[in-house]
Amino acid sequence: MVMELYGPGKPARVLLVEDDARAALELGEMLRSVWDRGLVVSHTRHVADAVQELADHGATCVLLDLREQPALDVLAQLSNASPATPIVLVADGDDEEVGVAAVRAGAQDYLVRSELSAPRLARAVSYAVERKRSEAALALQALHDPLTALPNRALFLDRLRGALDRSRRTGGPVVVLFLDVDGFKEINDTLGHGAGDRLLNVLADRFRGMLRPMDTVARFGGDEFTFLFEGLESEEEAALVAQRINQSAAVPLSLGGQQRTVSISIGVYIVNDPEEEIDDVIRQADTAMYRAKESGGARFEVFEDVMARLPGPRTHLERELRQAVERAQLRVHYQPRVSFTDETGLEGFEALVRWEHPELGMMEPVEFMSIAEETGLIVPIGEWVIGEALDQVERWRESRPGVTISVNLSARQLSDSHLVEHLAAAMRDGGHDPSVLCLEVAEGALEAAPELAMRQLAALNELGVTLAIDDFGTGTSSSIMLSELPIHILKIDTTLVSRLGLDGADGDSVSDAVELGHALGLKVVAEGVETDIQLAQLRRLGCDGAQGFLFSEPMPEEGVLSLLGTS
Ligand code: C2E
Ligand code: CA
Ligand code: CA
């Protein structure tokens, strides 16, 4: 029986660690009687020599047979020094315990010295080699991503740890890139998961193809890839690599039967301090990647310390806000708007968003609106609010026909080129009558970009929705500009209303606003009405409607349902 121990042309090396010279000779003979061709048997007496031999030449298998030294200790040392090399232990007793202890200490098999024979020895060696191979294959699987066969997150982090260790000793630079596919979700949603998988595989192949053997690219999770480079000389070199990766991703590919071009966002982090925690290294690269995304994607950003110096809670909050929609943490509260002229009194509701933060509790817009606005997150958040509000109002209209819903539009939303298209689709898909929706745009938002605002409002008006100017009185919009806007309602800002009824205060500015509104044919509504005195004055001044704590605070949908008497 001749067992295959080595591939064609490649001699097998068996390292005998044996402290008895005669026994060493005998074991060598036994091995050669089975594998005559090309078998190299080397022999050492001491563990230190064995470690050196393994480091210099490696071995197909180690055969460990010691009488004068503690065999299990040596076994553990060898297995640590060369984890990939199978080891067969020759031991004295034949009790089970020795065998179990041997395997625990790192042996693949063990043999009882008194029962040694050439075939037994050959079988043990072959078995040990085979077992090590399958262990290695399993380990490989556990450390690789099954889809792309790239190293997975665990292996990447392990290699990063190794690179940082080396950098501590040699001072060599370590660079980490964090990469995320732009619009991956959209590809998955529109072309299916098969296309998404294919895209990841194509990218994996491209990335693999452009790396040097010592570099690592890993699939970190989802559509995220990470790269590890050692020995890049400068920031410029790192930037060049990032650029090349970016270009490689930009080559068109066919997805779901279509030619597509995808883009990626890359964060580059050059580790300055090898003592840095692994998690921090990843986080910095990730932060830089987010910057690249925020600047529109299809680019890379190099992490700079200023980012780390940004106030922690704010960037953290920003990260959480990104996920708030997906994680269903946003809520809409509704504040009633009453009409002075209409018999029914209750005219509609204003939708006001809240964020139910898992730790911080219910957060009001003032706590997160500026982040939403600056990052552009207000666009998806606003789309969600509109969808939610439209669904609700349709339910309410079953018991109270004619009730409308108002939703706020920020400056950023108003300048979003997809706004009109999105609203039209929401109306059509939900079968909504456009007149149920009123959009409120703050006076200040109009002033930021008057011409764009004008065009957008005209298009929204075409859709048939009602338009209101919010926070009126806080800005400086001229009556001429107002007269050119296709608007229907003027909402007088809280600050003007709050001055009503105060000692010595006249109602001049409110009165002017009402007059202007009526002159332009608009309905005038007062905001932030808190007292009966304010209410009385507003009525006297000819206001058409009002909103405020005097009537009701914003409430969750259950509150609306009970107000309408439907629950
Ligand atoms: P806004 O559009 O002027 O909304 C009215 C704000 O005044 C609301 O604050 C409301 O709770 C508050 N309020 C209502 N009655 C009274 C009152 O009698 N006295 C006082 N002092 N305040 C009253 P909230 O809900 O905190 O919203 C603040 C702002 O956040 C809103 O101002 C609006 O500009 C923005 N916002 C809220 N939800 C959304 C949204 O879904 N999208 C956009 N783009 N902005 C939103
Ligand atoms: Ca409003
Ligand atoms: Ca307002």
Side-chain angles (χ1 to χ4, degrees):
M1 165 196 65
V2 176
M3 284 161 288
E4 204 47 57
L5 189 60
Y6 41 86
K10 211 178 159 207
R13 307 184 68 95
V14 174
L15 172 61
L16 280 175
V17 184
E18 170 67 81
D19 48 14
D20 181 300
R22 271 186 77 87
L25 276 177
E26 277 170 27
L27 286 172
E29 280 311 308
M30 282 186 196
L31 290 167
R32 279 195 202 89
S33 72
V34 180
W35 294 291
D36 49 351
R37 294 164 303 127
L39 179 71
V40 177
V41 179
S42 47
H43 170 219
T44 64
R45 296 175 63 89
H46 299 292
V47 61
D49 298 337
V51 169
Q52 190 60 49
E53 170 74 12
L54 285 174
D56 292 346
H57 302 291
T60 316
C61 187
V62 171
L63 197 54
L64 186 63
D65 182 17
L66 296 176
R67 285 142 244 253
E68 286 149 24
Q69 302 165 49
L72 287 183
D73 287 359
V74 172
L75 175 59
Q77 285 181 50
L78 290 180
S79 137
N80 273 336
S82 180
T85 309
I87 304 176
V88 175
L89 179 73
V90 181
D92 257 334
D94 75 341
D95 59 70
E96 277 293 298
E97 273 173 37
V98 180
V100 171
V103 170
R104 288 230 173 100
Q108 271 56 52
D109 203 357
Y110 87 107
L111 287 165
V112 180
R113 192 173 292 124
S114 58
E115 295 169 1
L116 272 178
S117 68
R120 275 210 177 124
L121 183 58
R123 202 172 320 125
V125 168
S126 302
Y127 173 69
V129 170
E130 220 22 76
R131 182 159 175 183
K132 197 78 202 180
R133 260 185 214 145
S134 58
E135 271 175 18
L138 274 181
L140 206 69
Q141 273 175 30
L143 293 173
H144 286 75
D145 162 46
L147 178 67
T148 60
L150 288 182
N152 62 13
R153 176 194 291 246
L155 181 53
F156 184 83
L157 294 178
D158 195 53
R159 296 214 177 140
L160 176 56
R161 208 168 286 126
L164 292 176
D165 280 347
R166 278 187 291 282
S167 166
R168 228 168 278 148
R169 290 196 304 271
T170 64
V174 174
V175 176
V176 170
L177 265 56
F178 199 109
L179 181 158
D180 189 282
V181 181
D182 299 333
F184 185 73
K185 186 178 176 310
E186 187 255 342
I187 291 170
N188 251 342
D189 289 352
T190 56
L191 301 176
H193 288 269
D197 285 357
R198 182 174 140 67
L199 171 59
L200 294 175
N201 267 318
V202 169
L203 289 177
D205 283 344
R206 290 182 187 171
F207 297 156
R208 233 188 315 251
M210 56 191 301
L211 296 191
R212 303 167 305 173
M214 67 267 217
D215 305 329
T216 297
V217 54
R219 178 159 178 228
F220 205 67
D223 60 338
E224 297 165 346
F225 295 86
T226 45
F227 291 76
L228 173 64
F229 299 101
E230 288 173 78
L232 295 185
E233 286 309 322
S234 59
E235 182 173 330
E236 286 69 40
E237 206 178 331
L240 213 65
V241 171
Q243 205 173 351
R244 278 200 0 250
I245 295 173
N246 237 332
Q247 285 162 353
S248 84
V251 177
L253 75 164
S254 103
L255 277 185
Q258 305 173 9
Q259 263 317 86
R260 293 285 290 242
T261 310
V262 296
S263 70
I264 56 181
S265 298
I266 303 179
V268 179
Y269 182 56
I270 300 165
V271 183
N272 296 314
D273 173 12
E275 301 294 339
E276 208 169 339
E277 297 286 330
I278 300 269
D279 287 353
D280 290 336
V281 171
I282 298 292
R283 202 180 41 246
Q284 322 288 44
D286 187 24
T287 304
M289 185 279 288
Y290 260 107
R291 296 280 145 175
K293 273 250 144 120
E294 271 168 19
S295 319
R299 71 191 67 211
F300 68 89
E301 286 282 339
V302 180
F303 181 91
E304 284 169 37
D305 265 344
V306 275
M307 292 181 193
R309 275 191 253 115
L310 283 180
R314 167 125 193 193
T315 39
H316 187 60
L317 207 61
E318 181 182 322
R319 187 65 74 79
E320 290 180 313
L321 185 57
R322 285 177 190 283
Q323 296 161 342
V325 179
E326 272 168 39
R327 297 189 176 166
Q329 292 169 354
L330 295 180
R331 310 276 172 266
V332 182
H333 284 189
Y334 303 91
Q335 186 178 40
R337 190 172 88 211
V338 299
S339 166
F340 300 152
T341 49
D342 186 352
E343 281 302 298
T344 59
L346 177 70
E347 204 171 19
F349 293 84
E350 176 172 1
L352 295 158
V353 71
R354 269 97 186 93
W355 177 11
E356 194 172 339
H357 189 283
E359 281 112 40
L360 302 174
M362 196 65 94
M363 291 172 60
E364 308 247 322
V366 63
E367 297 170 87
F368 59 90
M369 227 8 125
S370 64
I371 302 181
E373 186 71 5
E374 279 164 28
T375 56
L377 283 170
I378 188 61
V379 171
I381 290 175
E383 287 178 358
W384 177 82
V385 171
I386 289 173
E388 187 72 13
L390 284 172
D391 284 350
Q392 288 297 326
V393 74
E394 294 297 349
R395 290 174 64 193
W396 305 337
R397 284 164 76 90
E398 285 167 18
S399 61
R400 188 75 66 106
V403 130
T404 61
I405 188 81
S406 298
V407 180
N408 294 287
L409 277 191
S410 72
R412 182 85 173 232
Q413 289 173 278
L414 193 64
S415 62
D416 172 27
S417 55
H418 299 294
L419 171 69
V420 176
E421 179 193 327
H422 174 83
L423 263 172
M427 292 289 169
R428 193 181 52 235
D429 297 349
H432 303 286
D433 181 342
S435 67
V436 303
L437 181 66
C438 171
L439 294 174
E440 302 189 356
V441 180
E443 189 182 19
L446 295 179
E447 288 159 1
E451 277 159 29
L452 178 66
M454 189 85 88
R455 277 203 309 277
Q456 290 277 61
L457 290 180
L460 291 171
N461 188 44
E462 283 287 302
L463 275 185
V465 300
T466 306
L467 296 172
I469 296 299
D470 206 357
D471 303 346
F472 183 74
T474 56
T476 54
S477 43
S478 66
S479 52
I480 299 180
M481 179 182 165
L482 278 186
S483 69
E484 287 170 1
L485 291 173
I487 49 173
H488 314 97
I489 298 175
L490 206 59
K491 291 186 84 173
I492 304 180
D493 190 62
T494 313
T495 50
L496 270 60
V497 173
S498 64
R499 276 187 244 136
L500 282 173
L502 289 184
D503 280 347
D506 54 2
D508 270 1
S509 37
V510 174
S511 160
D512 289 352
V514 175
E515 227 168 82
L516 173 65
H518 285 168
L520 297 173
L522 308 176
K523 193 181 233 179
V524 180
V525 177
E527 286 190 304
V529 182
E530 294 181 351
T531 67
D532 286 321
I533 298 170
Q534 290 167 351
L535 177 61
Q537 294 216 32
L538 289 165
R539 281 181 178 277
R540 191 172 53 75
L541 291 170
C543 218
D544 303 290
Q547 217 178 304
F549 295 164
L550 178 64
F551 310 103
S552 166
E553 291 195 14
M555 54 194 155
E557 61 185 75
E558 303 81 50
V560 177
L561 291 177
S562 71
L563 180 77
L564 298 178
T566 51
S567 74

